[in-house]
Amino acid sequence: MSAFVHRFEPATRPDTRPLLLLHGTGGNENDLVPLGRAVAPGAALLAPRGQVLERGMPRFFRRLAEGVFDEEDVRRRAHELADFIDDARARYRIAAPIALGYSNGANVAAALLLLRPEVLSDAILLRAMTPLASAQPPDLAGKSVLMISGAQDPIVPPPSAVRLADLLRRGGAAVDHRVLPVGHALSNVDLTLASQSLKATPAEADVPASVKG
Ligand code: MLT
């Protein structure tokens, strides 16, 4: 199994989709577990830790400056994360997860949607921006993406979030892009909107039949 440090909590309710929890810069595999439990009670939780260190802070890919991404690294790390998800699905026998990502975690989830969309069933992207400037939309038909941006977010330029929403829509995803009167930090409204969108997502039986590794 790939080398991601991660946390896995099995489902206590079989009718729920697993969540892939992707933390922000400086976070770890424990950060979003309370959020995951709150928005999807009983769901399996898979939470990897980003493998890039920026002055000791874990991230999912390198950046050259705030908001300026090393796109070669974005591509490489997104593929590594996608391979990890494939391995974890086989090992823990879980269906394709819904990504729940915040900040850098939302950006790597967006990169997964653009590069390896088959590893996710849907996504909730909190404070996301476009991770790849010149990406073409893959086939995202059948996927639902909830994007929640902050109108006063000092880190995510609003046009970059809008570009990402457009790109995902052009691939055929059903994108619900909400802009809240908040900054980069999460609010209770994020939690409410995320849980509402998850209640509307039925679980499907696509658990891998065989267990690898
Ligand atoms: C990033 O991926 O760099 C985020 O958008 C900002 C952050 O993680 O601080």
Side-chain angles (χ1 to χ4, degrees):
M1 177 135 170
S2 15
F4 278 83
V5 172
H6 67 281
R7 176 165 169 179
F8 176 72
E9 298 207 348
T12 53
R13 279 183 40 196
D15 60 331
T16 50
R17 270 264 162 206
L19 288 189
L20 174 74
L21 303 175
L22 299 167
H23 63 79
T25 301
N28 64 35
E29 64 280 13
N30 299 314
D31 276 19
L32 295 189
V33 169
L35 179 66
R37 284 198 191 122
V39 299
L45 303 177
L46 177 64
R49 184 192 302 175
Q51 293 184 308
V52 170
L53 286 181
E54 184 185 273
R55 295 190 305 277
M57 295 184 295
R59 286 176 51 84
F60 287 95
F61 56 79
R62 282 187 63 224
R63 63 181 164 184
L64 308 174
E66 191 164 288
V68 184
F69 302 147
D70 174 343
E71 295 205 6
E72 202 182 307
D73 197 63
V74 174
R75 288 176 191 276
R76 177 181 141 213
R77 305 282 180 177
H79 282 292
E80 287 175 358
L81 183 58
D83 292 342
F84 162 77
I85 297 166
D86 280 341
D87 289 350
R89 283 193 59 199
R91 174 171 171 179
Y92 298 121
R93 300 182 56 81
I94 54 172
I98 299 172
L100 173 61
Y102 168 60
S103 191
N104 181 244
N107 296 341
V108 81
L112 287 175
L113 286 171
L114 296 171
L115 299 171
R116 294 277 293 274
E118 72 285 355
V119 300
L120 299 179
S121 79
D122 298 300
I124 299 176
L125 309 178
L126 307 172
R127 313 297 183 271
M129 55 200 280
T130 311
L132 295 163
S134 57
Q136 291 304 309
D139 181 5
L140 295 169
K143 297 200 193 294
S144 300
V145 180
L146 171 64
M147 278 181 64
I148 310 181
S149 304
Q152 285 105 44
D153 189 333
I155 294 174
V156 178
S160 182
V162 169
R163 258 203 318 281
L164 175 61
D166 286 348
L167 190 59
L168 299 174
R169 274 192 196 107
R170 280 197 280 129
V175 180
D176 180 6
H177 185 194
R178 308 289 182 101
V179 183
L180 305 179
V182 297
H184 199 66
L186 295 179
S187 70
N188 284 334
V189 184
D190 287 280
L191 198 141
T192 306
L193 291 173
S195 15
Q196 281 169 357
S197 87
L198 289 171
K199 281 200 190 97
T201 311
E204 283 156 31
D206 65 347
V207 176
S210 65
V211 181
K212 291 192 278 177

